[in-house]
Amino acid sequence: MNAGRFDTLVEVWRYTSSQNDYGEAIKTWSKVSDIYAQIDYLSGTEEVQGEQWENKQGLNLTVRYMSDLTVKDRIKHGDIYYNIISISEINRHMYQKLQCKSSE
């Protein structure tokens, strides 16, 4: 893997929960870190959800290994958030390949 190909800065976001003054759970997304990635764009899809058309863009990201990264996290690239669909390990904890799909 050529380290020079990790040329795009993306953000990792994690779903967190806290409590308000009344003890109610407040769930929000918070930024965890910035990482450099190699991005491979996949073909997009159109789906009908609740009688509305939704366009989804897929992409694969290759990043350096992060032990705490899960499919519950998401990636922000530019102004678009991508849900992590799957995580594959490459070269025994050196890299990870993230299969992602844009979220609405």
Side-chain angles (χ1 to χ4, degrees):
M1 186 73 46
N2 182 353
R5 302 185 122 232
F6 293 87
D7 59 353
T8 306
L9 189 63
V10 297
E11 299 173 357
V12 177
W13 287 70
R14 184 158 293 146
Y15 202 54
T16 59
S17 180
S18 61
Q19 289 186 345
N20 65 10
D21 295 336
Y22 302 106
E24 300 168 331
I26 299 173
K27 297 186 178 188
T28 59
W29 287 96
S30 59
K31 182 177 164 182
V32 176
S33 66
D34 293 322
I35 57 173
Y36 282 96
Q38 174 186 339
I39 297 180
D40 298 314
Y41 290 93
L42 305 174
S43 61
T45 61
E46 287 186 336
E47 301 171 353
V48 177
Q49 294 288 332
E51 298 183 14
Q52 290 186 334
W53 284 97
E54 291 186 358
N55 298 315
K56 302 279 185 172
Q57 172 66 49
L59 52 86
N60 286 334
L61 283 86
T62 305
V63 299
R64 287 183 174 77
Y65 184 81
M66 293 178 62
S67 61
D68 62 341
L69 191 65
T70 70
V71 294
K72 294 179 182 179
D73 299 330
R74 68 181 181 179
I75 302 294
K76 182 179 179 190
H77 174 52
D79 293 333
I80 302 173
Y81 290 95
Y82 294 89
N83 292 326
I84 300 174
I85 306 301
S86 69
I87 300 173
S88 309
E89 184 180 318
I90 303 172
N91 292 343
R92 297 184 182 174
H93 299 308
M94 285 189 72
Y95 305 104
Q96 290 172 311
K97 181 166 281 206
L98 313 177
Q99 182 181 2
C100 302
K101 190 170 268 195
S102 62
S103 62
E104 294 290 323

